[in-house]
Amino acid sequence: MRSSTKILLIYTGGTIGMQKDFETGALKAFNFSKLLQRVPELKLLDCAIETISFENPIDSSNISPESWVAIAEVIEQNYTAFDGFVVLHGSDTMSYSASALSFMLENLGKPVIFTGSQLPIGDLRTDAKENLITAIQIASLQENGKPVITEVGLYFEYKLYRGNRTTKISAEHFNAFTSPNYPFLIESGVHLKVNKDLLLPLDANKPFRVHKLFDAHVMILKMFPGINQKVLETLVNIPDLKGIVLETYGSGNAPTEEWFIELLQQAIISGIHIVNVTQCSGGSVNMGKYETSSELKKIGVISGKDCTTEAAITKLMHLLGQNIPTSDFKNSFENAIRGEMG
Ligand code: ASP
């Protein structure tokens, strides 16, 4: 690590910087400068840290595509001045935001590391300090004067994951995230163990670009036995609906009933993009493996392969924002753009 490494800490809100409201007892976001006072250890790090905060820090349940644009613009405006970026964010929707930012930031040549915590930084047993300090160290990692990580990562409880491969799995444990279909990139023990073979390669000749357009006329539809024809009919006929992430069973399976397939087919014909992801916590969609997915394949449902739901819905919003012609959309979705699918 070079002592001249410059890191920009971007505070959006989340438990890490929250404190108790004495009147209601609920946790709410508080001033970022106070957060840094709680971590004097940051001064010991071998890098220069500057900070920038959302004017009104938010619980991540209130994160929106506008918030993603705000984060991306901070990175864009400070891209050349800093060696790496750490985004402090509530854990509840962190996987959505890390996925969204991964799609927004094309040819990213510097680390963007999301982190947060399960307990506020002022709590005696907090996990915030370790997460924050190690996320900054990871963002500062350099080899031959170049950043080691050139992608959007998520650091939590001793592991750095590819951001768009993560999902939150616990509201209780410090080990709150997992990456079901892609191994962790770095493990923090006595040393930081970097799995170099797993990192996203960078083509240094291509310019860094930020894509800011999202189309949020989308929804996630989780399959369950008993799904009702009238309900589905109403949903697929929502005016202006442009995309659906369909959470299916197992390797991408769904009912074979005629009304069900017909409703999806009509939706596709009317221009709605339907992406098939599995509601299992690991594994991939493989349409055609079972009879219960053959029809989906036939009518032109897009395979989300081994994408998380978080990556699928943010990629859908991102690609819809790019105005890709309908005839190319399936192909565009089924190709990985930031290592989000296998
Ligand atoms: N509700 C909080 C948030 O997502 C939880 C956390 O920060 O971990 O903002």
Side-chain angles (χ1 to χ4, degrees), residues 13-18 27 58-63 89-94 116-119 156 168 177:
T15 300
I16 193 163
M18 287 185 180
L27 285 172
I58 49 176
D59 186 294
S60 75
S61 299
N62 286 319
I63 284 283
H89 191 291
S91 62
D92 288 349
T93 61
M94 197 187 292
S117 64
Q118 293 280 54
L119 284 174
F156 226 89
K168 185 174 179 184
F177 287 87

Side-chain angles (χ1 to χ4, degrees), residues 77-136:
Q77 284 152 17
N78 292 282
Y79 191 71
T80 45
F82 288 86
D83 299 296
F85 302 86
V86 173
V87 182
L88 297 180
H89 191 291
S91 62
D92 288 349
T93 61
M94 197 187 292
S95 293
Y96 291 91
S97 294
S99 299
L101 264 290
S102 78
F103 300 125
M104 296 175 86
L105 307 176
E106 186 179 354
N107 301 320
L108 179 66
K110 302 187 177 189
V112 173
I113 312 296
F114 276 75
T115 196
S117 64
Q118 293 280 54
L119 284 174
I121 207 145
D123 198 288
L124 206 52
R125 295 174 44 251
T126 190
D127 53 332
K129 287 191 181 186
E130 198 287 316
N131 286 348
L132 174 60
I133 291 168
T134 309
I136 294 172

Side-chain angles (χ1 to χ4, degrees), residues 188-227:
S188 167
V190 173
H191 302 285
L192 288 179
K193 191 169 159 280
V194 184
N195 292 323
K196 286 198 181 145
D197 299 348
L198 300 173
L199 303 177
L200 206 62
L202 171 72
D203 184 344
N205 296 317
K206 293 192 177 152
F208 172 57
R209 284 185 65 196
V210 183
H211 302 274
K212 296 179 192 169
L213 296 178
F214 287 96
D215 190 331
H217 292 95
V218 294
M219 69 171 174
I220 298 171
L221 179 62
K222 184 169 183 159
M223 296 306 309
F224 59 95
I227 189 163

Side-chain angles (χ1 to χ4, degrees), residues 215 242 271 273 315-334 337:
D215 190 331
K242 297 196 183 131
H273 304 290
K315 185 174 180 181
L316 189 56
M317 286 192 269
H318 163 73
L319 290 182
L320 285 169
Q322 310 306 299
N323 266 322
I324 295 168
T326 307
S327 54
D328 297 345
F329 198 91
K330 185 172 188 290
N331 197 31
S332 297
F333 198 101
E334 288 179 347
I337 50 176

